[in-house]
Amino acid sequence: MTTTAAESTGRSEAGGIRAVSRALAVLDCFENEGQSLTLAELVRRCELPRTTVLRLVDTLVGERMLQLLPDGRVSVGPRMIRWGAFAKAAWSAPAATLARLQQLADETGETVSLYVRRGLTRVAIAQAPGRHTLRHVVQVGDELPIWLGAASTTLLSGERPEVLDSVLAALDANTAIDVDTSALRDRVAAIREQGWGLSHGERESGNSGLAMLVPEVGDRPLLQPVVVVLGGPTARFVDARIPEFVAALRACVQDVPQTGLPPALE
């Protein structure tokens, strides 16, 4: 059986409507502003049968989620404008938080990102670029595996035990994912004890990450775990700099509850 792009990133269709999941997979193929794709490119990216993609595209065009261009290519349709505006309002970090993330990036020189978990992925919801020419690059909205990298394991360290059990069980059940969940559980426990997570080359060779959870303050519990992450080339994440990075990151995460999170998380 062919593994679809959605399945390989850990999305489950169990208990849902398969056609809806596949339609969303088609929409996910459009990554950049103004991007248009041929049907063949959509088929390749979705890893679905051509006839299935054609039917999905026809339906999405009819619903104005996609549009056909004169040259036969497909692009995002006008109905997405309202959806995009709604999503931006719900998920944009406050200006004060973006400024605080940029302050951390300026202080350390490394790229700073804010992540939440969605199923078996983590999603970047804000970012402040580092000052170096060679730096870590992840776009806001990018989805990355929840089993790889300091951001992922640190997010899992903030989950309730029953939620962590559910995530690890889903990873075990997904034959498209090769992960030692017993070792992952041990790493999550170590991060919970230490208070921060560090990884080198897990998701991409030569890249490192240092992550810490945003703490809950007073009687304002977070709806879900949120992490702030420093990311950059492994050559700059040497042992001598880790204490400095940890101290700067800890100061930042302590400030974020005051500067605020996106409305969807509060």
Side-chain angles (χ1 to χ4, degrees), residues 21 32 41 43 50 54 103 137 140 145 148 161 179 181 183 186-187 191 228-229 242 262 264:
S21 294
N32 303 314
E41 288 170 331
V43 169
R50 181 182 177 87
L54 184 58
Q103 181 184 344
V137 178
V140 172
L148 293 174
V179 57
T181 53
D186 289 343
R187 286 191 56 208
I191 290 171
V228 179
V229 187
I242 299 305

Side-chain angles (χ1 to χ4, degrees), residues 7-260:
E7 291 168 336
S8 67
T9 55
R11 294 181 189 171
S12 172
E13 296 177 352
I17 300 174
R18 192 180 190 190
V20 174
S21 294
R22 287 181 162 185
L24 292 174
V26 170
L27 293 176
D28 276 345
C29 291
F30 296 87
E31 299 172 342
N32 303 314
E33 248 181 82
Q35 184 186 42
S36 62
L37 299 170
T38 65
L39 182 62
E41 288 170 331
L42 284 171
V43 169
R44 184 173 65 254
R45 292 188 180 199
C46 292
E47 300 180 24
L48 293 170
R50 181 182 177 87
T51 53
T52 299
V53 174
L54 184 58
R55 288 197 303 270
L56 290 168
V57 168
D58 284 344
T59 300
L60 291 168
V61 168
E63 294 293 337
R64 296 178 293 113
M65 301 295 282
L66 295 177
Q67 62 179 351
L68 289 175
L69 302 179
D71 62 0
R73 297 175 70 87
V74 184
S75 69
V76 174
R79 191 172 181 180
M80 291 292 288
I81 297 172
R82 184 171 66 87
W83 287 40
F86 173 70
K88 184 176 182 180
W91 284 100
S92 291
T97 295
L98 294 177
R100 185 61 182 90
L101 298 182
Q102 189 61 60
Q103 181 184 344
L104 177 60
D106 293 342
E107 180 181 352
T108 62
E110 306 300 343
T111 296
V112 179
S113 303
L114 201 64
Y115 284 97
V116 295
R117 184 179 67 84
R118 279 293 176 267
L120 300 185
T121 67
R122 54 178 159 107
V123 184
I125 58 174
Q127 186 175 92
R131 64 174 180 266
H132 299 288
T133 302
L134 181 62
R135 60 177 182 256
H136 181 67
V137 178
V138 173
Q139 302 298 326
V140 172
D142 281 356
E143 298 185 4
L144 303 171
I146 197 60
W147 60 95
L148 293 174
S152 293
T153 46
T154 304
L155 275 173
L156 291 177
S157 75
E159 296 286 10
R160 301 189 308 276
E162 64 272 20
V163 175
L164 176 61
D165 289 344
S166 176
V167 171
L168 296 181
L171 290 172
D172 277 332
N174 193 321
T175 57
I177 298 172
D178 182 17
V179 57
D180 182 344
T181 53
S182 177
L184 180 57
R185 185 185 292 276
D186 289 343
R187 286 191 56 208
V188 168
I191 290 171
R192 189 178 290 125
E193 179 72 20
Q194 180 173 249
W196 48 272
L198 175 67
S199 64
H200 298 297
E202 282 188 18
R203 191 179 61 81
E204 185 177 0
S205 178
N207 272 338
S208 293
L210 178 66
M212 197 174 293
L213 287 167
V214 173
E216 294 185 345
V217 176
D219 58 353
R220 295 175 54 200
L222 297 175
L223 295 181
Q224 64 185 93
V226 182
V227 293
V228 179
V229 187
L230 284 175
T234 300
R236 294 202 296 265
F237 279 66
V238 294
D239 290 347
R241 294 208 69 191
I242 299 305
E244 168 197 340
F245 284 170
V246 168
L249 186 56
R250 181 173 288 115
C252 179
V253 300
Q254 294 293 333
D255 288 341
V256 169
Q258 279 72 46
T259 56

